[in-house]
Every structure is written in structure tokens, then in C-alpha cells.
């Protein structure tokens, strides 16, 4: 147990006290902690979150503007048009977007993210997003975020000018593992979009998806790469193996491993909004959601995910109230 005590002591000193995230090697030591050290690890991660983010929990809703039929081949994704997964291409119109934003706001959420399953936006999508963002901003008091794939510099500037508050683009996995997951674009292309978003002044939301067969070393590598990028938000997804995708037969990550990963990412990213995103119900269930919120997570997505059902918003909101964790107010995010 000496090494265990050591890395948790280092984390208390370096991360809780000084706010400096763990580096790749230190994250690896955390990911290799034995199961019996996980409760103590979660306590340290919770202390980090309280020290550097505070008790507030950010609530976000997402809506899919364009679902399915994506030309890319991300092996985990049921929205790729290259696999046999049963998600068909569907578009939403502007009134439906505004209604979804209104319903999201009614849950107390402060962020509303418009998502499209595309490689990157074409002119038609940019025009639709412009109309949608304007209509939502005129009608609903909520921050609008977008997730539209890879961007050019001009598109980045345009989204910023439209008033988009945050842009989501995920690294998904470590650079060294990416070619096993996606062959139609590179990790470097994703990284490039993320750095342009950061430089534009929009907030950057950059997610990770774990449980795709990567090694713990590669998980630590990803935490280090996210630490270098310094995103404002990191949605942490656990693989939910979708039928018909190349990763459809992979096993679901166990709850203890998932919680260890949550805590390790919190220790790498002390100030980031760390959000539970897709797959948490499957991996963690109710108890895990609670443990994660007490182990470093400080944001949740309410309602439905893009292609799978999440939990009822009221269940999450009741849990937050149980845990005495206030929902972050809109003014605090502006
Ligand atoms: S680019 Fe996005 S929508 Fe398209 S296959 Fe990859 S993850 Fe799915």
C-alpha cells in the first residue's frame, strides 16, 4: 500500500492544496490503485472539486439538430452512416429547437447544446444554426452551445459572432489509440479544431470516451493531453456498446473502474467542469451517479442523450437536492 499512500498524499498536496493537476505518470499511478483504495481516492477527488470548482453543479440539455447518416466511421458511434446501426438521418426545424431549449431551461439547466452528426458543418447547417441560435436567444434565457464537428477558422469566427457560448469537440481517446477507433479523420484534426475554439474566446468543451479497449496507459495519456488543452468542460463518456457498430460487442466497463477513472480525470483537471455524459446509467446506475458526484463530477446532462435514453430530469434534480449541491445559476456562467 506504500505507493497508494504516496500518490494520494501527492494528490492532496499538489492538487487539493495547490490546484496543480496530476501529470500523465501520476494519473497512471491513480488508475492503477487497487479497488480498496477507491473510496479514499473519491474523497480526494471530491476535495479537489470543492476546493477549485465549489459545490455548484452545472446542468445542461442537448438536442440533436441532425441525427444519423454521418460519413465518418467512429467505431463507437451509432450515428455513422457506415455501419448497420438503426439510427436514420433526421433533421429538426427551428421551432422544435426553441421548444427543446424552453423545456431544458425549465429543468434549471443553464446550457443548451445543439448537436449535429456531421464531419463538419456545410453552409446549410451553418445557416440553420444561425437561425436556431438567434431564435433561442430571443425566446429563452439560456446559454447556447454547439457541437458540429470539425471547423474551419472562418466557421469558428462565425459561431463566435453568432453568440455561441461554448463549442463541443471531443478528443474521444488518446492520440496513440485514435487510429484503432477512427480511420476517416485524424486525432490531429480534432486537436486543431479544439485549439481554434480555445483561441476564439468561445468556451471549449472537449470530451473523452473510455472503455473502448484502450489500455490504462492510454487513458492516462488522454488525461495528460486534456490537461495540456485545458478545456473549460470535459464530458466523460463510458462506452455504451451499440448494436451494429464495430464496438458493439465490447464489454461494459465495471462501476469501480469507471469511478476510479472519474476521480483520476478530476485529479488531472482540477478546475474543469467535469460532466457525466453518455453511458453512465449503464456503467454506474443510480448509486454510481451519486458516488461520482461525490468523487469529482460537477455537471450532468439532463434528459435524453443523442441516441439512447438517459434518466428523467427530475431524478437527477432530486439527487442533487439530496446531496445539497446547488444547481449553478445562469448569471454565474455569463
Ligand atoms: S463524427 Fe461524430 S457523429 Fe460522426 S461518426 Fe464520429 S462521433 Fe459519430
Amino acid at each position: 500500500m506504500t505507493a497508494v499512500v504516496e500518490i494520494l498524499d501527492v494528490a492532496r498536496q499538489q492538487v487539493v492544496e495547490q490546484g496543480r493537476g496530476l501529470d500523465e505518470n501520476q494519473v497512471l499511478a491513480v488508475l492503477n490503485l487497487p479497488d480498496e483504495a477507491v473510496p479514499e481516492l473519491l474523497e480526494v477527488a471530491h476535495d479537489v472539486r470543492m476546493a477549485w470548482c465549489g459545490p455548484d453543479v452545472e446542468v445542461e440539455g442537448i438536442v440533436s439538430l441532425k441525427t444519423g447518416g454521418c460519413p465518418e466511421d467512429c467505431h463507437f458511434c451509432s450515428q455513422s452512416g457506415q455501419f448497420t446501426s438503426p439510427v436514420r438521418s433526421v433533421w429538426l426545424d427551428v421551432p422544435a429547437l426553441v421548444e427543446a431549449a424552453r423545456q431544458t431551461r425549465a429543468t434549471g439547466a443553464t446550457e443548451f447544446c445543439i448537436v449535429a452528426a456531421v464531419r463538419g458543418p456545410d453552409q446549410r447547417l451553418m445557416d440553420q444554426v444561425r437561425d436556431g441560435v438567434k431564435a433561442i436567444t430571443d425566446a429563452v434565457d439560456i446559454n447556447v452551445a454547439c457541437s458540429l464537428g470539425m471547423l474551419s477558422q472562418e466557421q469558428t469566427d462565425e459561431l463566435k459572432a453568432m453568440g455561441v457560448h461554448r463549442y463541443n469537440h471531443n478528443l474521444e481517446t488518446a492520440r496513440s489509440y485514435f487510429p484503432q477507433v477512427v480511420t476517416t479523420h485524424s486525432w490531429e484534426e480534432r486537436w486543431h479544431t479544439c485549439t481554434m475554439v480555445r483561441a476564439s474566446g468561445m468556451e471549449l468543451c472537449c470530451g473523452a470516451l473510455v472503455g473502448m479497449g484502450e489500455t490504462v496507459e492510454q487513458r492516462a495519456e488522454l488525461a495528460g493531453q486534456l490537461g495540456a488543452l485545458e478545456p473549460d468542460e470535459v464530458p466523460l463518456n463510458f462506452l455504451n456498446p451499440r448494436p451494429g457498430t464495430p464496438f458493439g460487442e465490447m464489454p461494459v466497463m465495471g462501476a469501480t473502474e469507471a469511478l476510479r477513472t472519474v476521480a483520476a480525470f478530476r485529479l488531472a483537471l482540477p478546475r474543469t467542469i467535469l460532466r457525466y455524459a453518455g453511458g453512465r446509467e449503464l456503467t454506474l446506475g443510480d448509486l454510481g451517479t451519486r458516488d461520482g458526484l461525490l468523487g469529482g463530477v460537477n455537471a450532468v446532462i439532463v434528459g435524453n442523450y443523442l441516441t439512447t435514453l438517459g434518466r428523467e430530469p427530475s431524478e437527477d434534480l432530486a439527487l442533487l437536492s439530496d446531496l445539497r449541491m446547488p444547481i449553478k445559476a445562469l448569471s454565474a456562467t455569463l
Side-chain angles (χ1 to χ4, degrees), residues 23-143:
D23 66 22
E24 182 179 333
N25 284 332
Q26 293 172 319
V27 170
L28 183 57
V30 170
L31 290 173
N32 282 324
L33 285 172
D35 288 0
E36 41 303 357
V38 169
E40 190 184 342
L41 166 65
L42 292 174
E43 277 174 32
V44 178
H46 184 61
D47 290 348
V48 170
R49 171 266 175 109
M50 294 303 272
W52 299 101
C53 301
D56 291 4
V57 173
E58 191 183 90
V59 177
E60 178 183 26
I62 55 180
V63 69
S64 182
L65 174 59
K66 188 234 166 195
T67 308
C70 179
E72 302 304 291
D73 76 344
C74 310
H75 290 14
F76 53 85
C77 182
S78 58
Q79 301 207 59
S80 168
Q82 304 208 17
F83 316 136
T84 55
S85 23
V87 175
R88 291 222 302 278
S89 185
V90 180
W91 286 81
L92 271 195
D93 58 15
V94 168
L97 278 183
V98 174
E99 185 46 35
R102 195 172 276 127
Q103 286 178 17
T104 299
R105 182 67 188 121
T107 67
T110 51
E111 291 282 331
F112 178 69
C113 186
I114 302 171
V115 181
V118 289
R119 175 183 169 86
D122 58 12
Q123 197 52 51
R124 174 185 173 201
L125 181 56
M126 288 298 283
D127 291 346
Q128 237 187 334
V129 167
R130 181 178 304 99
D131 294 348
V133 171
K134 176 156 188 353
I136 292 167
T137 320
D138 287 350
V140 188
D141 198 13
I142 197 161
N143 289 322

Side-chain angles (χ1 to χ4, degrees), residues 191 198 204 206 224-234 269 271-272:
W191 178 268
R198 278 231 62 172
L204 172 65
C206 181
Q225 285 156 345
L226 286 169
L229 195 56
E230 292 188 283
D232 298 279
E233 173 186 346
V234 172
L269 304 157
R271 291 175 185 76
T272 298

